[in-house]
Amino acid sequence: MSNSSLEYPFNYANYFIPEFIHRMRRNREVVEKPSPRQSINMGKILLPSYMRNGCLTLSNLLLAAVITSQVDNQKIAEKVALDILTNVNEYDEEPQEDLEGDQLLSLLSKKTQEVFVTPHAKGLEQNIVNDNPSITGPDQFTKFKNKPDIGVGPGEDMILKFGAKTFKEERDEKMRKLLAHLLKERLMKLGRELERKDDWSRIASVRPFQTGEDTDSIDEDRSLENIIDLGRKLEEIRPEDFMMLKRKKKNRSIVYIQDISNTMFYDLEGINSVNYSILSLIPLMWGLRNDKWGLILYESNSHVIKDLSDEMDLEPVLEQLLDMITMTTTQMEFRFRGTIDGSTWGGTVPNKSIQWAYDQLTEASERSDRICFYFSDFVLTDPGKDNDENKQNYEVIRRMLDDGIRVFAGISPLANKEIFRPYTASAIDRLRKIGVPMAETYFPSQFLERAHSFLDEI
Amino acid sequence: MAEKEQGFRKMLEKSIVENIRIEHPVVLKGQYETAYSLLKDALDTGITPCLVGPPGVGKSLLARKVAEDTARSFHEVFFDENVTPSRLIGSFDPALVVRSGRNISSFEPGPLIRAMVEGGLFVAHELNRATEFCQNSLIAPLEERHYHLFPIGMVKAQESFAFVATQNPIETSGTYRLSKVLVDRIGCWIRLTYPTKETELEILKENTPAFSLPVSALDKIYEIVKATRENTVLEIPASPRSGIYLTRLVNKYIKRFESEDDAIRFFAPSVLAKEMKVRGEEGKTVAKVVEEIIKKVLD
């Protein structure tokens, strides 16, 4: 590049800016693609430097490219701009798929003809196989293959489920990263919707208007009543005579229990019960992130991720949960124990977790709305063999309800399928009798709808 | 009692100023020089800038400096989830509305409308703590430079009206992601991080009234502050602001102690611990981490 092209800067900038924007849009790592506004801004921000110095330097162009890019993209922007300035051709020659709208759907759904089954038959699962002679192995669930999905629930649910499925089988690390990011964004979007709904369903009371407040929130009836009661004449009315609707949010203390026992790894339509739970759990936790929360996972052992009283950022926890979508039970054992020893892993022992949830929530302030969300397939015992330990679990849940702690169950869609039903019927019925509201996690958006109604009940 | 109240009101009247001036010289070196120049360039060319950086690195000060140097009035709002659009835009006085209806005289303008009308600088502090409801109300003033104030009409911003946002990195607790529409309207993202040693030492000196500490003491303070930033246990380390507070205390009270080390050892835990945060999973307390760092630097 000759110096003259920099002295007449917009000769080169005319090439540099569109080329930079074009390459950024093609770059796979750039999730939020630059808009035309960025091109305009790049031109604008170069102008003062040119006016000051009478020429543009390479660093002016580089800086313009970097600072007009969003913070998350600035490292990539720097590399792309340097490539252009040093005349390096684009490294990635593969055509880039535009991951928006319909094309995103096609990307996520192109491998949906396969069904994944995690063969971890042992313990209760083995009993299921023994009790059902027609079942010869984990492929039993292929009968759920391609059950009606498209068109049954909202499109968002469909994308999430296909996304989880594709994420599970994708081996390319870059693609996995991208899929994880897309899934996370969509789950958070669902969470934000829950949050918005939740904002509007706060406990309403009235209080006097204060200058600077939104007059749309004035309760006209009660204001009029108040003004008449005070006997004010028109010219005597003061701002504080008006009554504002006060949406006071009751503080919440929430404990999430997530079952990760082996039965949770059976697939329905390509994704397993852990996946179903997580697709509902992540938006739920994100939507309620401003409340106090605790999280525990259980199989034969219980794994406390966060106490109610601990301070911890939610995002890394959600990323870990998202990561669990791709894990088998063995990988999960390795993650949580550092070793693989199947003998004491993978069973269904919720006792300690339920007791932990009870302890945590009884310690929380009684003035807060104390809630336990329990995600499981509820395969707790063999049919007709309800043991004392299991009875104890119902007892603890009943005590929670007696103490004013609200419990909501997120049930895996497999729990109501023919093959699981003999194992789950008793547990689900008992929970229902105790008074635990529940919703299936088959469609995350519907689950959240139910969860919101539940939250709103108070 | 009435006299006391009268006295207070007089003092209050005297305390009211047009604009707060920056008390200490602003160190415009290193990253701050670049950021300041970019900030001015962005405002001159009608681009909305956003300063991104951890708490205490001087984002607000830079914005204030630009307002002062360009003779703009200064308006600011610190966002959190309780800030509503009416807090920014303003609202009608319901008592006046009953008497004379919704018109200019019954409208109490908020800082954003004031900045638009006066052609001032509006700083949206911690924009990524604003709710989506609030974020959406900023779109028209940012892009079209107007706001439709129903039923008064369209309020058009003066030519010199400028908007600067600041935000903490999104990893920081309590932050939201900005909506895509708003992100697209912010045209310039200026990152600030912790300054270099040379710059930070100058910041510490310039912000300490009657600075008289020996170089060695200042170096030790800087080393302690720097060590918190290199410590992986800490999610939020000490900012230059903490360094300034520590320097001020040590500078003022050093004579009470036998050595500069004693003074630093005495004040550092209380000053530094106030804003630092340990990563949740580490199981250490801030006090413990600070103690270890002080020991390592001073012993």
Side-chain angles (χ1 to χ4, degrees):
Chain A
M1 190 188 336
S2 69
N3 281 339
S4 62
S5 65
L6 292 176
E7 282 165 19
Y8 300 99
F10 295 104
N11 285 350
Y12 188 66
N14 278 344
Y15 160 74
F16 176 77
I17 295 173
E19 180 64 15
F20 171 76
I21 296 291
H22 173 69
R23 288 198 191 188
M24 285 293 279
R25 285 182 186 154
R26 280 174 57 91
N27 194 304
R28 288 183 170 200
E29 288 174 46
V30 178
V31 179
E32 301 291 341
K33 306 294 180 193
S35 73
R37 277 200 186 89
Q38 186 172 346
S39 318
I40 299 167
N41 288 336
M42 283 176 73
K44 280 182 176 176
I45 203 82
L46 285 171
L47 198 60
S49 304
Y50 177 68
M51 300 297 278
R52 267 197 303 269
N53 307 321
C55 66
L56 284 180
T57 62
L58 293 181
S59 30
N60 290 143
L61 294 170
L62 183 64
L63 193 64
V66 173
I67 62 160
T68 55
S69 299
Q70 290 174 36
V71 179
D72 292 348
N73 294 343
Q74 286 190 342
K75 274 191 185 156
I76 306 167
E78 189 176 354
K79 187 185 173 305
V80 169
L82 273 173
D83 282 353
I84 300 170
L85 294 171
T86 51
N87 233 353
V88 173
N89 285 328
E90 257 181 297
Y91 173 70
D92 189 356
E93 293 294 335
E94 292 170 33
Q96 165 72 15
E97 292 184 57
D98 179 2
L99 297 171
E100 292 291 329
D102 294 345
Q103 291 188 35
L104 167 67
L105 187 64
S106 70
L107 169 77
L108 293 175
S109 57
K110 67 184 177 187
K111 289 178 181 173
T112 55
Q113 296 310 307
E114 292 175 41
V115 168
F116 292 83
V117 176
T118 318
H120 294 291
K122 58 181 179 183
L124 271 176
E125 304 88 280
Q126 195 55 53
N127 296 350
I128 296 176
V129 174
N130 294 340
D131 295 349
N132 295 276
S134 61
I135 301 169
T136 52
D139 277 341
Q140 63 222 312
F141 293 108
T142 50
K143 67 176 178 179
F144 298 121
K145 182 175 176 177
N146 298 330
K147 274 282 168 80
D149 195 355
I150 297 175
V152 170
E156 197 66 32
D157 289 326
M158 190 177 66
I159 291 176
L160 285 174
K161 285 162 71 175
F162 287 165
K165 224 156 130 180
T166 316
F167 182 38
K168 275 175 76 170
E169 70 165 354
E170 183 59 56
R171 294 286 168 263
D172 178 60
E173 202 42 50
K174 268 190 178 175
M175 204 57 192
R176 278 170 59 84
K177 215 172 132 189
L178 178 64
L179 280 166
H181 181 82
L182 288 168
L183 256 181
K184 190 174 139 195
E185 287 272 301
R186 287 187 173 266
L187 290 169
M188 284 179 160
K189 187 180 147 203
L190 270 183
R192 279 200 299 274
E193 275 171 25
L194 174 71
E195 186 188 11
R196 258 198 300 275
K197 284 182 194 163
D198 193 39
D199 276 349
W200 283 103
S201 42
R202 294 172 177 188
I203 299 167
S205 59
V206 286
R207 59 170 172 73
F209 176 87
Q210 288 172 351
T211 307
E213 285 188 316
D214 188 355
T215 45
D216 288 348
S217 300
I218 288 178
D219 185 329
E220 289 167 5
D221 290 344
R222 293 202 208 179
S223 300
L224 203 58
E225 226 169 73
N226 187 45
I227 290 167
I228 293 168
D229 284 351
L230 292 167
R232 297 253 196 257
K233 290 180 187 165
L234 192 61
E235 58 278 11
E236 290 171 350
I237 298 172
R238 298 175 193 160
E240 59 269 26
D241 296 341
F242 290 83
M243 303 313 282
M244 293 287 286
L245 272 179
K246 184 184 177 188
R247 291 191 180 82
K248 186 183 153 200
K249 190 174 182 180
K250 190 169 182 182
N251 293 331
R252 294 198 189 105
S253 303
I254 307 172
V255 167
Y256 302 94
I257 304 176
Q258 172 66 56
D259 180 356
I260 53 165
S261 63
N262 286 337
T263 53
M264 293 287 284
F265 287 83
Y266 280 98
D267 289 358
L268 172 66
E269 295 164 19
I271 59 174
N272 61 37
S273 299
V274 172
N275 303 162
Y276 278 110
S277 298
I278 285 173
L279 292 182
S280 295
L281 178 61
I282 290 179
L284 182 67
M285 291 180 76
W286 185 249
L288 304 177
R289 66 187 173 283
N290 294 322
D291 296 308
K292 274 176 89 176
W293 59 278
L295 172 64
I296 191 164
L297 314 178
Y298 77 83
E299 32 77 46
S300 302
N301 315 284
S302 291
H303 311 272
V304 178
I305 306 296
K306 181 188 167 294
D307 275 343
L308 255 184
S309 53
D310 283 352
E311 286 288 324
M312 191 189 286
D313 268 1
L314 181 59
E315 272 204 65
V317 177
L318 296 188
E319 268 159 24
Q320 278 185 34
L321 287 172
L322 200 62
D323 208 24
M324 280 164 58
I325 287 182
T326 60
M327 287 185 184
T328 60
T329 181
T330 317
Q331 286 168 332
M332 229 177 257
E333 181 180 2
F334 190 74
R335 155 75 69 90
F336 287 106
R337 295 174 100 161
T339 57
I340 300 171
D341 165 25
S343 58
T344 55
W345 181 274
T348 308
V349 188
N351 312 44
K352 292 224 165 124
S353 294
I354 296 174
Q355 185 61 45
W356 177 85
Y358 177 70
D359 294 342
Q360 292 278 311
L361 289 167
T362 42
E363 277 173 29
S365 162
E366 281 184 30
R367 291 175 63 191
S368 66
D369 183 10
R370 296 169 299 167
I371 300 171
C372 173
F373 282 104
Y374 184 4
F375 289 87
S376 174
D377 55 6
F378 294 97
V379 180
L380 298 179
T381 54
D382 287 334
K385 294 178 186 170
D386 217 357
N387 57 27
D388 285 345
E389 263 190 11
N390 207 30
K391 283 176 189 160
Q392 183 63 25
N393 292 333
Y394 301 121
E395 184 50 35
V396 178
I397 292 175
R398 199 187 53 71
R399 274 212 317 257
M400 281 192 197
L401 295 172
D402 289 347
D403 291 352
I405 296 167
R406 305 196 295 144
V407 183
F408 188 83
I411 300 179
S412 153
L414 273 166
N416 286 321
K417 294 295 171 197
E418 189 189 336
I419 204 151
F420 269 72
R421 191 70 190 144
Y423 295 83
T424 58
S426 142
I428 293 175
D429 288 348
R430 287 190 74 158
L431 286 175
R432 206 168 265 141
K433 274 183 196 159
I434 295 172
V436 175
M438 46 189 73
E440 263 199 14
T441 50
Y442 187 66
F443 290 125
S445 65
Q446 287 180 11
F447 172 84
L448 292 171
E449 196 71 43
R450 279 285 297 119
H452 172 246
S453 311
F454 165 76
L455 290 166
D456 210 10
E457 273 166 19
I458 191 160
Chain B
M1 194 65 189
E3 264 175 37
K4 199 176 171 189
E5 183 60 26
Q6 200 71 27
F8 172 77
R9 293 200 176 275
K10 275 186 186 162
M11 283 163 73
L12 178 64
E13 207 170 322
K14 275 187 195 165
S15 305
I16 293 167
V17 289
E18 277 287 303
N19 253 327
I20 297 287
R21 312 291 302 173
I22 302 171
E23 286 177 15
H24 302 282
V26 180
V27 178
L28 287 180
K29 281 190 175 170
Q31 62 167 354
Y32 296 110
E33 188 183 6
T34 315
Y36 177 76
S37 152
L38 281 172
L39 201 55
K40 277 184 79 173
D41 287 354
L43 297 181
D44 287 347
T45 49
I47 298 174
T48 301
C50 180
L51 294 158
V52 186
V57 291
K59 303 185 290 289
S60 310
L61 188 66
L62 265 188
R64 193 177 278 277
K65 168 93 178 135
V66 169
E68 208 170 284
D69 291 355
T70 55
R72 287 176 165 107
S73 61
F74 185 80
H75 302 272
E76 60 188 344
V77 164
F78 290 84
F79 281 94
D80 66 29
E81 56 186 18
N82 295 317
V83 174
T84 57
S86 54
R87 166 85 182 75
L88 304 174
I89 307 297
S91 63
F92 288 93
D93 180 333
L96 294 176
V97 170
V98 169
R99 275 173 240 163
S100 57
R102 286 177 184 243
N103 51 39
I104 288 179
S105 61
S106 62
F107 180 70
E108 184 57 45
L112 181 59
I113 291 288
R114 278 190 188 276
M116 286 172 72
V117 172
E118 291 170 4
L121 181 78
F122 177 82
V123 181
H125 293 283
E126 307 198 36
L127 185 61
N128 54 344
R129 288 185 197 273
T131 58
E132 269 190 55
F133 189 25
C134 244
Q135 289 183 27
N136 289 342
S137 65
L138 294 172
I139 291 168
L142 278 188
E143 181 66 11
E144 320 292 345
R145 301 175 66 82
H146 67 229
Y147 190 85
H148 188 238
L149 198 61
F150 181 80
I152 296 175
M154 199 70 83
V155 178
K156 193 175 179 308
Q158 291 291 314
E159 196 63 38
S160 59
F161 164 67
F163 184 106
V164 176
T166 75
Q167 74 167 52
N168 292 325
I170 52 165
E171 302 83 45
T172 315
S173 321
T175 54
Y176 299 81
R177 273 191 180 272
L178 296 179
S179 71
K180 282 183 191 174
V181 211
L182 190 59
V183 164
D184 198 30
R185 278 156 177 83
I186 294 173
C188 176
W189 302 83
I190 305 166
R191 289 184 90 133
L192 287 175
T193 178
Y194 298 110
T196 57
K197 182 175 181 179
E198 188 197 2
T199 312
E200 189 154 356
L201 288 179
E202 197 166 335
I203 291 172
L204 298 181
K205 270 191 218 169
E206 291 291 355
N207 286 277
T208 307
F211 178 81
S212 59
L213 281 180
V215 178
S216 58
L218 197 62
D219 264 347
K220 283 172 192 163
I221 290 172
Y222 172 75
E223 287 305 324
I224 289 172
V225 169
K226 191 178 115 201
T228 66
R229 294 170 195 163
E230 289 163 355
N231 195 316
T232 51
V233 173
L234 292 168
E235 185 186 332
I236 301 177
S239 66
R241 195 184 286 136
S242 290
I244 292 169
Y245 295 156
L246 182 57
T247 312
R248 283 182 188 171
L249 281 166
V250 175
N251 184 58
K252 187 160 172 97
Y253 297 111
I254 195 164
K255 285 179 188 152
R256 285 188 192 170
F257 297 88
E258 283 185 7
S259 69
E260 60 193 37
D261 283 12
D262 286 349
I264 295 171
R265 203 173 276 120
F266 181 77
F267 289 118
S270 335
V271 176
L272 300 183
K274 74 174 174 58
E275 64 170 358
M276 282 168 33
K277 193 178 163 197
V278 171
R279 288 185 199 284
E281 65 271 25
E282 299 292 342
K284 279 190 174 179
T285 61
V286 170
K288 181 80 189 153
V289 179
V290 173
E291 192 189 313
E292 284 170 9
I293 289 173
I294 294 171
K295 198 166 186 298
K296 200 174 160 191
V297 174
L298 297 184
D299 291 350

